[in-house]
Structures are given as structure tokens and as C-alpha cells.
Amino acid sequence: MKILLILPHDKIYRYRGFLKQSMPYAPLTLTTLALVPTELEAQIEIIDEGVQKPSYDNKRYDVVGITCVASSSTRAYQLAQYWRDKGSFVVLGGVHPTLMPEEAAQHADALAVGPGEKTWPQILRDFQNGTAQKIYQADYPPELSSPIARRDLLPRHRYLPIPTIIANRGCTNHCHYCPVHKVYGGQSVTRPIEEVIDEIKRLQTKKILLFDPSPTSNKEYAKNFFAALLPLKIKWFGLATTDVVYDRELFELFVRSGCEGLMFGFESLSQASMDKSGKPFNQVGQYKEVVEILHRHQITVLGCFVLGFDEDTPKSLARTAEIVEELNIDLPRYAVLTPFPGTNLFTRLKNQNRILTEDYSFYDSEHVVFQPEQMSATELQQILYRTWQKTYRFSTMLKRARLMQKNGGMSLLANLSLRHYVHKGTLIGSHKWN
Ligand code: B12
Ligand code: SF4
């Protein structure tokens, strides 16, 4: 059986790093799906359209599996049509098809809703036996064993040379704009700790990047996991929520297990926005202290801010870049509030008639796709550009790099890369959906 797995291109990939070569993180979705039942004697290829430009013309596959998020769904559906026309059996899966099954089912021969560890092998077996169904709904077990990712199927040199891995893909929080708790039902979906540790050992690496969207939401699992990391003596980067620094035991484990950098969704400088969005554990008044504590432990801080909450006005957002500078965040990032289809936020804005486009290719967090409460969509888009620009002025970047007690050089490199993104990449002078 010949199988092709595709991660479709989307607007976010127009960005190319300033070193010419794009260096994204190695994705895990398709490499995780690449382990299929041995009796199928499958030949598997993976195409990540973000880093590869394949020619499909003379190719034939029995099964084509396509993953997508909202912003890549348009391309995913085009690809699905292309391969169905060529006679392949097309399977769609991933976050967007899981949240929008009725829409996605129209474009596929079979649809995998939820995690694919069990449904994907089943789909392939059913296809082989001529008994394939239209929809395969996975359950969401609190513990889910996942095969070791087939990283060898990706063009390694196209990615950052630090292996990616995921331990807990769910989250127990309920932020209204976030698809994760909708996809995973507000629960953790964790891999057995021994399995993850074994995979890290096999990687023979000194550094890993943890893809867990919210590792601190299941504190018990997190404590056991980071304790299990201790003997490996590796360095790691990951995500966390700001309250982690106030959980003494967990934070100490972060530090001792080799945490070198964390990405936080600080989201807003308005406490009201955080409270109303179901993220009250983000305490805006503590942000400065949070960053200080992290810096004291030599942990680099990547901070994400979202513009466009209902409480935001042009005036309240005008000083965002300055305040972020005062917080001493090492690598700030900005996004506009995005109502991903299937989320509570999307439902609310739709009911309020505030969704401006349902062309999901623009749902990439850099385009305003809804009517903001206190300004026009164009105003919000411009504020986003201006805030990025101010944050990535040379003087501000140098200040940030100097502040870093270690990794100052790396910080400057990362800052330069984001500056390039702001000026030459996706943002300036680009696109508008209407
Ligand atoms: C790591 C990560 C990234 C990485 C890697 C992305 C990648 N392409 O692999 C980076 C940082 C590059 C990234 C970028 C982006 N991301 Co991201 N990312 C994640 C994160 C935290 C984990 C994804 C992951 O690797 N999970 C582990 C793998 C094994 O699980 P999985 O991907 O869900 O796949 C499983 C199932 O879904 C299913 N499945 C998936 N596809 C298929 C296909 C078939 C055929 C089958 C059978 C099954 C199947 O089986 C798999 C195994 O169980 C998720 C949050 C989450 N929990 O999902 C957000 C998330 C997917 N990202 C999101 C977004 C918005 C983005 C960006 C647009 C952000 C931006 N502005 O840059 C870009 C889009 C890039 C893209 N086109 O994919 C949103 C998607 C929302 C939506 N509805 O569209 C999420 C849900 C985060 C959030 N809270 O909003 N992301
Ligand atoms: S804490 Fe993060 S992953 Fe969890 S629901 Fe909120 S935004 Fe989503």
C-alpha cells in the first residue's frame, strides 16, 4: 500500500527566516501517524509543504492522509480534491476537521475526528478490506500511548536542529478563544511517562523542545514527568502558564530538569480581558515579577500578546510595545484575537454578527477576521503592525539582548529573525481578505 501524508502549505509559511533558509520546528503530527500496521506493508512518504515544494504530477498513492488547522484547511481541501480526482482514497484529520467535522467530511473519503493513534490504523485496515466508513470518531482517553515519531521521514536539515516531542497534548483550562480544550474536552491527554522518557533517550539529544500546549495544567503529571527528566540531564524549551512560578515544587522541578526557555501566553495587559476570557490565572499585575523570577533562574521568556479583546481600545493598545519593553520579555510576539471555528469565541462573535470572513485561510492570528468591539478591523490590523514594528526596532532589540545574562547572542539572532518577519515577511504591506 502506498501512502502519502501531507502537511499543507498556508499563509503563515510565507515567512522565511533572515538566514534565507526557513527553520521551523519539526512538526510531529505526520511523523506520529507514519507508524502503520506492519501487515499492510506500507510505503510511506511525508510532505511538509511548509518546507518542501513537491511535484505531485507523476505520483500515485493508494491513500493520502492530510492534516490541517483552520489556516491550512483551504489548501487541505484543494489537495483532497486533487488526490480524489487521481483516484486516491483521501483521509482528513487534525484540529480543524475535528472541530468542523461536517465541513471536512465533504472533502474526504474518510474523516478522523480526534487523536489518530487508533483510528488511522483502523482506517487503513478497513480501506484494505473494502469496508471503510466515512467518519472515525476517536475517544479521548486521559492516557494515550503514542508511537515513536518517524522523524527519519522528514527532511531534517530543513528544521531547527532540536528534536520536538509531546507528552501532554490536552489542557484542563477553558480559555474561550482556545481550540485545545474544545478538541480534548478540557482534559489532559498524556502519554505514559516511561514512553516519553524512552523516546527522549533514543533521540540521543542534549536538548528538546516540548510541544505540550499547557504542561502546567495537569500539575501531578507535570511533576512526575519533570522529575523523570532529571537523570537525563538535558536542556529543554516549552510552554507554560504564568502561574507556574508560584508553584514552588513544580517550578523547582522545571529549573532542575533543565528548563532554558518558556513561551507564555501573557495574552493581554487588561485583567478584565483575561477574566472574561476564562483565563483569570493570568494576573497582569504579576507579569513583571513573573519575568524577573524566570530571569533569575536563567530562563528565556518568549511572550505572546493578543490584541483585539472587547475591552481593547486604540488608546489602551497604543502603549503595548512600551509596556512589553518594560516587562523585559526576551522575545515578544503579537497576534490578533482569532475566533477559530468551533470555539466559544467563534460562536459568540457569529451570534453577534461580528465574523467578517469565513475564508479560514486568513485565520492565522495575523489577520483581523472579526469586527472588534471598540475600533475598526483596519485600525486593529494597523495597531498590530505598529506594535510589532516598535518592538523590533534595533535599539529595543539590542537592549533585550544585553539584558540576557546568558544566550545574549542567541537572543539577538532570534530577535533579528522576528524583525525580518515583521518587515519583509508576512506582515508589512501584505494581504487583506476583503
Ligand atoms: C506544536 C504546535 C505548533 C507547531 C508545529 C505545528 C505543526 N504544523 O505541526 C508550530 C509552532 C510550528 C505551530 C504553528 C502554528 N499553529 Co500550532 N500548535 C501546536 C500544538 C501546541 C501541538 C500540535 C502537535 O504537534 N500535537 C501533537 C500531534 C501528535 O497531535 P496532532 O497534531 O493533534 O495530531 C493528532 C490528531 O489531531 C490526529 N490527526 C491530525 N492530523 C491527522 C491526519 C490524518 C489523516 C489522521 C488520520 C489523523 C490526524 O492524529 C494525530 C495523532 O493523534 C497545537 C495544540 C494542540 N494541542 O493541538 C497548536 C495548534 C494546532 N496550533 C494552532 C495554530 C493557530 C497555529 C498557527 C496558525 C500559529 C501561527 N500564527 O503561526 C501555526 C500554523 C502552522 C500550521 N499550518 O500547522 C492552533 C490551531 C487552531 C485552529 N483551529 O486552527 C492550535 C490548536 C493551538 C491553539 N491553542 O490555538 N503550532
Ligand atoms: S491554557 Fe493555553 S492551551 Fe489551555 S485552554 Fe488556555 S490558551 Fe488553551
Side-chain angles (χ1 to χ4, degrees):
M1 185 187 292
K2 283 188 79 181
I3 302 175
L4 175 66
L5 291 166
I6 312 178
L7 181 66
H9 190 273
D10 74 66
K11 290 189 170 59
I12 213 75
Y13 289 115
R14 281 182 302 173
Y15 158 57
R16 287 285 176 270
F18 79 113
L19 291 174
K20 244 183 178 168
Q21 181 80 290
S22 162
M23 281 285 184
Y25 306 121
L28 278 177
T29 307
L30 300 181
T31 48
T32 300
L33 293 173
L35 268 188
V36 301
T38 41
E39 79 266 17
L40 297 175
E41 293 177 1
Q43 281 172 266
I44 302 178
E45 277 176 60
I46 294 185
I47 295 290
D48 174 353
E49 292 193 334
V51 300
Q52 294 164 289
K53 270 202 178 139
S55 163
Y56 297 126
D57 289 352
N58 299 318
K59 301 282 179 77
R60 301 252 159 222
Y61 299 91
D62 301 302
V63 180
V64 175
I66 307 172
T67 186
C68 67
V69 293
S71 55
S72 54
S73 61
T74 315
R75 172 72 182 153
Y77 298 157
Q78 279 167 5
L79 285 166
Q81 190 59 51
Y82 175 85
W83 287 108
R84 287 175 97 184
D85 288 347
K86 281 181 92 166
S88 303
F89 181 79
V90 171
V91 187
L92 280 168
V95 173
H96 185 72
T98 294
L99 290 170
M100 303 294 284
E102 280 170 24
E103 174 196 293
Q106 293 168 31
H107 302 274
D109 295 302
L111 181 68
V113 179
E117 275 78 355
K118 292 195 179 125
T119 49
W120 176 234
Q122 187 61 46
I123 293 169
L124 294 175
R125 284 195 185 103
D126 289 356
F127 167 73
Q128 179 92 324
N129 299 331
T131 56
Q133 326 270 306
K134 183 77 182 183
I135 297 191
Y136 289 79
Q137 170 75 59
D139 19 283
Y140 293 88
E143 184 172 86
L144 180 65
S145 170
S146 206
I148 292 184
R150 287 281 314 270
R151 296 177 178 82
D152 57 302
L153 293 175
L154 288 175
R156 279 178 199 215
H157 59 287
R158 299 284 179 96
Y159 302 103
L160 284 171
I162 163 166
T164 53
I165 195 157
I166 196 159
N168 177 5
R169 64 177 82 167
C171 177
T172 54
N173 297 316
H174 292 81
C175 307
H176 298 176
Y177 49 83
C178 179
V180 172
H181 78 92
K182 280 283 171 189
V183 171
Y184 295 101
Q187 62 167 33
S188 296
V189 177
T190 57
R191 288 176 72 194
I193 290 176
E194 322 75 69
E195 189 179 282
V196 188
I197 297 294
D198 177 52
E199 184 163 352
I200 299 171
K201 281 184 184 160
R202 284 170 193 240
L203 286 167
Q204 298 190 324
T205 178
K206 285 282 155 214
K207 283 192 180 178
I208 56 163
L209 182 74
L210 262 185
F211 265 0
D212 302 27
S214 182
T216 43
S217 73
N218 181 337
K219 292 202 175 9
E220 198 194 331
Y221 179 83
K223 283 175 188 169
N224 292 333
F225 174 65
F226 291 113
L229 264 192
L230 290 172
L232 271 55
K233 298 200 183 324
I234 56 163
K235 303 290 178 204
W236 63 271
F237 302 85
L239 291 90
T241 45
T242 51
D243 51 353
V244 65
V245 300
Y246 299 110
D247 182 324
R248 223 189 150 108
E249 190 190 346
L250 182 55
F251 188 57
E252 203 185 305
L253 279 166
F254 265 48
V255 175
R256 288 177 48 223
S257 63
C259 177
E260 285 212 321
L262 288 174
M263 181 157 112
F264 294 92
F266 289 102
E267 324 296 24
S268 178
L269 298 168
S270 147
Q271 190 59 48
S273 297
M274 290 294 80
D275 294 346
K276 287 187 191 162
S277 304
K279 204 163 186 173
F281 47 88
N282 262 17
Q283 285 294 312
V284 177
Q286 292 175 335
Y287 286 177
K288 182 126 182 128
E289 184 181 62
V290 168
V291 178
E292 276 167 15
I293 296 173
L294 291 156
H295 281 171
R296 220 177 294 143
H297 291 88
Q298 313 280 315
I299 295 175
T300 304
V301 184
L302 280 79
C304 301
F305 293 86
V306 174
L307 313 183
F309 287 101
D310 281 359
E311 295 69 29
D312 291 341
T313 63
K315 193 166 171 235
S316 73
L317 292 180
R319 284 202 70 244
T320 305
E322 283 77 11
I323 300 173
V324 168
E325 196 179 328
E326 284 158 24
L327 290 174
N328 287 333
I329 288 164
D330 304 302
L331 204 61
R333 291 194 66 114
Y334 302 103
V336 280
L337 187 66
T338 302
F340 291 111
T343 58
N344 296 353
L345 178 66
F346 185 91
T347 311
R348 175 167 72 82
L349 293 177
K350 180 90 182 161
N351 290 339
Q352 294 171 343
N353 253 331
R354 289 170 61 192
I355 297 291
L356 296 175
T357 177
E358 289 189 46
D359 177 346
Y360 299 142
S361 67
F362 289 97
Y363 282 53
D364 60 0
S365 310
E366 297 296 346
H367 290 81
V368 182
V369 296
F370 72 103
Q371 175 57 55
E373 178 79 2
Q374 310 212 42
M375 65 196 100
S376 69
T378 310
E379 244 174 324
L380 178 57
Q381 192 76 62
Q382 282 165 353
I383 291 171
L384 174 76
Y385 295 160
R386 276 203 299 273
T387 313
W388 269 108
Q389 277 179 313
K390 276 192 208 165
T391 295
Y392 284 89
R393 282 183 304 219
F394 274 121
S395 53
T396 328
M397 284 164 45
L398 282 171
K399 191 178 153 213
R400 277 198 292 274
R402 263 202 309 270
L403 269 172
M404 297 213 28
Q405 291 170 18
K406 66 174 185 182
N407 286 342
M410 279 308 288
S411 158
L412 192 59
L413 219 58
N415 269 279
L416 277 167
S417 191
L418 271 181
R419 181 185 156 86
H420 179 88
Y421 170 67
V422 176
H423 289 273
K424 303 260 165 47
T426 9
L427 287 169
I428 301 303
S430 62
H431 55 274
K432 205 169 173 299
W433 47 262
N434 59 358

